[in-house]
Amino acid sequence: MQERGYPVAEGKTVFEDNWAKAVKSNRKIPYAIKYAKHLGYPVIVKPNSKSQGSGYVWSGIKKNCFRFARNF
């Protein structure tokens, strides 16, 4: 999308513990909370397993961001 000139929101992939271990990543749920704080709330939390904008959640506060990330 970005290559075609469309605006794309900044973001990073974060994994639940088992996936993080499998892909050898330190980006777990606590990292997501720190990253969201860095970006500034509100943030959008979206599962990586879906595409085309389905399954996303808008989170205006830290508590909800953590809860939504855990439930994906």
Side-chain angles (χ1 to χ4, degrees):
M1 296 293 289
Q2 192 171 25
E3 292 173 3
R4 294 184 177 232
Y6 293 97
V8 177
E10 180 181 344
K12 293 187 179 182
T13 303
V14 177
F15 306 95
E16 60 90 21
D17 291 347
N18 291 333
W19 273 110
K21 186 176 181 181
V23 298
K24 298 178 182 165
S25 174
N26 292 325
R27 290 186 185 170
K28 300 177 185 177
I29 302 300
Y31 176 87
I33 303 304
K34 289 178 187 175
Y35 184 60
K37 185 177 179 181
H38 166 76
L39 291 175
Y41 289 96
V43 298
I44 295 174
V45 180
K46 181 183 179 299
N48 195 33
S49 62
K50 296 184 179 179
S51 63
Q52 301 175 358
S54 64
Y56 77 91
V57 178
W58 178 87
S59 179
I61 59 173
K62 177 182 176 179
K63 180 174 79 171
N64 286 344
C65 186
F66 187 80
R67 182 171 51 104
F68 296 141
R70 283 274 184 219
N71 288 331
F72 286 136

